Amino acid sequence: MKDDPFGFNLSVSADKKKRSRTRRGMSGAFETSTRVCEHAGCEEVGQYRAPKSPDDLDEFFWFCKDHVREYNLKWNFFNGAAEDELAEQVDKDRVWGRETKPFTKPGEEQRAWARLGVDDPHQILGENATRNHGKGIGGTRKLPPTERRALDILDARDHWAKAEIRKSYKALIKVLHPDMNGGDRSHEDQLSEVVWAWDQIKESRNFQT
């Protein structure tokens, strides 16, 4: 409408007029183009556009049909790119250019594991990390209450040998010790419990060496 304060014209006649100026045929040709083919020595109408370079895909050459085919056959998006740049582009294309990022910053515990080179804390237990022994497999041994509590503190099983329990003990020490947490002493109470628990198992005769 002429009195539209935003200057929009949504009439059918205006839309048809706009389309007629930029109409493109099924072949990809801009049929209303009056440009001359930019190939040297060619005077045909340049109805087909082609990007000038991979770095500037919004700037185009205009060719006739024969010369745009010739240009496309020689086109190489990665021309001049290094091998690592090609690999980086392939990785981006796998996720449609939208790389995932962590929602939060790593906490103190996660940073402590990272300093030990451990991405997943369960890695320290090896195959036992995903094994559920349950009560049917060595989970019903009669042990003194102190040793049972020691096993819980060390996150160990009562059918493990002392060598296996010691691995769990050492892993906990590495996580809780202030030297591995930038001097943070907030875990000292838990660290003392772990040391006490290992003393109970170490002196016990109920576990194989």
Side-chain angles (χ1 to χ4, degrees), residues 105-134:
K105 295 182 180 179
E108 293 183 4
E109 183 176 346
Q110 187 174 351
R111 290 196 295 269
W113 284 116
R115 287 195 290 270
L116 296 174
V118 179
D119 296 327
D120 181 358
H122 292 292
Q123 291 175 353
I124 61 172
L125 299 178
E127 62 177 6
N128 291 321
T130 56
R131 181 182 297 171
N132 182 10
H133 294 287

Side-chain angles (χ1 to χ4, degrees), residues 59-207:
E59 294 291 330
F60 304 99
F61 292 118
W62 289 86
F63 298 111
C64 64
K65 181 183 289 187
D66 291 337
H67 288 132
V68 78
R69 287 175 176 172
E70 180 182 337
Y71 182 86
N72 288 340
L73 287 174
K74 297 178 181 179
W75 171 264
N76 181 0
F77 183 84
F78 295 103
N79 185 31
E83 186 173 345
D84 57 342
E85 294 175 330
L86 175 60
E88 181 181 357
Q89 184 65 43
V90 171
D91 290 338
K92 287 184 177 180
D93 289 344
R94 287 196 182 103
V95 293
W96 299 281
R98 297 184 179 184
E99 297 88 347
T100 56
K101 297 180 180 179
F103 288 106
T104 58
K105 295 182 180 179
E108 293 183 4
E109 183 176 346
Q110 187 174 351
R111 290 196 295 269
W113 284 116
R115 287 195 290 270
L116 296 174
V118 179
D119 296 327
D120 181 358
H122 292 292
Q123 291 175 353
I124 61 172
L125 299 178
E127 62 177 6
N128 291 321
T130 56
R131 181 182 297 171
N132 182 10
H133 294 287
K135 292 184 178 180
I137 310 178
T140 57
R141 287 182 60 191
K142 291 184 178 181
L143 295 172
T146 53
E147 293 182 11
R148 178 64 64 184
R149 181 168 178 268
L151 290 175
D152 291 339
I153 292 174
L154 296 173
D155 194 21
R157 303 294 180 267
D158 58 14
H159 65 278
W160 287 5
K162 287 185 180 179
E164 293 179 283
I165 300 175
R166 187 169 182 270
K167 289 180 181 178
S168 182
Y169 159 73
K170 292 181 67 176
L172 289 170
I173 289 294
K174 289 180 180 179
V175 173
L176 300 173
H177 199 282
D179 291 345
M180 304 303 294
N181 290 280
D184 181 11
R185 297 183 176 276
S186 60
H187 302 293
E188 284 188 338
D189 291 341
Q190 188 177 355
L191 179 62
S192 298
E193 285 191 346
V194 170
V195 173
W196 172 86
W198 172 242
D199 287 339
Q200 308 308 307
I201 302 300
K202 181 173 59 175
E203 301 298 330
S204 174
R205 298 181 179 180
N206 294 317
F207 299 90

